[in-house]
């Protein structure tokens, strides 16, 4: 079946603009995660969804970052008033979840490369 | 504070020989460890994992070893193949709550090691 997909694959924006990044998880996966990878760094956890609710937003770096998930499927990560330090690859992952998501393997999408000029 | 460290940014190995990728961690609460493999322009792909109740897990050419006292794990690939050339990420979590009593789904990643297998 289809894996996790993300769009756009690349996004170049000007400092101060808002951007939206989209994630389509694997069908039937109830758990969804957002990570980001800055240049030369490992993946950094941002937020976790179980269904449409986000019990853990602890990784969001500032209040300019927000995310939502609708219909237990697609998720959108929004960055307002982008800054140059927001430049990174934003990765989405999903897992089967079902209340025991911490034991599930996380499957990653290809990521969105965001460049803020 | 980097809780998962991969101190070798790159590694080159001859085809057919053993590749050994290393990873160190500092958080004593971690009880589950994973290796992911990443090709350019693709997301990380799960490779192999190990629980802290074990010291070795093997899957085909891939073996992960865990030394809890040293807070060190390694991934062995034998024999190495050119298709193994990729960036390998070590990740850890407090998945089972064995030491924290809680459990978490958050993965903490190292910065990765780029493996090049030379034909």
């Amino acid at each position: 079946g289809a894996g996790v997909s993300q769009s756009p694959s690349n996004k170049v924006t000007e400092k101060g603009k808002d951007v939206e990044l989209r994630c389509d998880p694997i069908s039937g996966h109830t758990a969804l995660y957002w990570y980001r990878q800055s240049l030369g760094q490992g993946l950094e956890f941002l937020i976790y969804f179980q269904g449409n609710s986000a019990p853990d937003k602890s990784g969001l770096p500032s209040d300019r970052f927000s995310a939502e998930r609708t219909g237990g499927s697609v998720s959108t990560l929004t960055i307002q008033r982008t800054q140059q330090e927001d430049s990174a690859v934003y990765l989405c992952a999903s897992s089967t979840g079902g209340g025991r998501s911490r034991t599930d393997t996380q499957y990653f999408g290809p990521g969105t490369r965001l460049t803020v000029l | 504070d980097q809780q998962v460290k991969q101190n070798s940014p790159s590694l080159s190995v001859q085809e057919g020989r053993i590749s050994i990728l290393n990873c160190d961690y500092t958080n004593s609460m971690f009880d589950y460890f994973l290796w992911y493999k990443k090709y350019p322009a693709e997301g990380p792909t799960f490779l192999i994992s190990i629980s802290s109740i074990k010291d070795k897990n093997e899957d085909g050419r891939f073996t992960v070893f865990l030394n809890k006292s040293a807070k060190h794990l390694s991934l062995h690939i034998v024999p190495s193949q050119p298709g193994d050339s990729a960036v390998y990420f070590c990740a850890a979590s407090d998945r089972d709550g064995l030491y924290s009593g809680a459990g978490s789904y958050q993965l903490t990643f190292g910065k990765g090691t780029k493996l090049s297998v030379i034909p």
Side-chain angles (χ1 to χ4, degrees):
Chain A
V4 178
S5 61
Q6 293 185 244
S7 61
S9 54
N10 279 285
K11 176 72 177 178
V12 180
T13 190
E14 292 179 350
K15 178 182 173 181
K17 296 283 181 68
D18 298 351
V19 295
E20 285 189 353
L21 312 179
R22 177 187 168 109
C23 171
D24 284 86
I26 294 172
S27 178
H29 279 192
T30 61
L32 186 147
Y33 316 79
W34 282 98
Y35 292 83
R36 76 174 176 181
Q37 184 181 15
S38 303
L39 189 64
Q41 303 297 314
L43 281 72
E44 170 193 12
F45 170 81
L46 297 178
I47 188 170
Y48 156 68
F49 285 92
Q50 179 61 40
N52 290 335
S53 63
D56 187 352
K57 304 178 183 180
S58 63
L60 294 178
S62 77
D63 59 8
R64 296 187 294 105
F65 287 72
S66 63
E68 65 175 13
R69 189 178 184 195
T70 55
S73 181
V74 172
S75 176
T76 303
L77 177 69
T78 301
I79 309 173
Q80 295 179 310
R81 305 180 303 282
T82 52
Q83 303 294 312
Q84 288 183 330
E85 60 263 28
D86 299 335
S87 296
V89 177
Y90 288 81
L91 289 148
C92 174
S94 70
S95 68
T96 54
R100 292 184 59 80
S101 58
R102 59 186 171 87
T103 65
D104 303 327
T105 297
Q106 296 180 25
Y107 296 91
F108 284 82
T112 294
R113 181 175 295 279
L114 174 66
T115 303
V116 182
L117 301 177
Chain B
D1 177 33
Q2 204 180 338
Q3 299 185 64
V4 177
K5 299 177 184 179
Q6 293 177 256
N7 292 320
S8 298
S10 63
L11 175 68
S12 289
V13 172
Q14 206 73 33
E15 180 180 4
R17 307 294 286 267
I18 184 171
S19 294
I20 300 176
L21 296 101
N22 294 302
C23 177
D24 297 292
Y25 63 96
T26 58
N27 189 338
S28 302
M29 298 297 108
F30 289 147
D31 58 22
Y32 186 62
F33 305 88
L34 310 90
W35 285 93
Y36 278 82
K37 173 179 175 180
K38 185 180 183 303
Y39 293 117
E42 295 183 11
T45 303
F46 170 73
L47 196 55
I48 193 169
S49 63
I50 187 167
S51 166
S52 63
I53 62 174
K54 296 187 175 182
D55 54 20
K56 176 182 174 182
N57 188 26
E58 190 172 353
D59 183 2
R61 297 185 297 113
F62 303 91
T63 303
V64 56
F65 295 91
L66 175 63
N67 182 333
K68 285 194 298 296
S69 60
K71 294 193 177 66
H72 177 84
L73 64 155
S74 60
L75 175 68
H76 292 209
I77 307 173
V78 184
S80 301
Q81 300 173 353
D84 296 330
S85 297
V87 177
Y88 289 78
F89 290 97
C90 171
S93 80
D94 171 24
R95 187 191 77 161
D96 299 322
L98 294 177
Y99 312 115
S100 69
S104 172
Y105 39 76
Q106 281 193 31
L107 296 179
T108 301
F109 286 82
K111 293 184 179 182
T113 296
K114 183 177 181 179
L115 174 66
S116 300
V117 180
I118 304 162

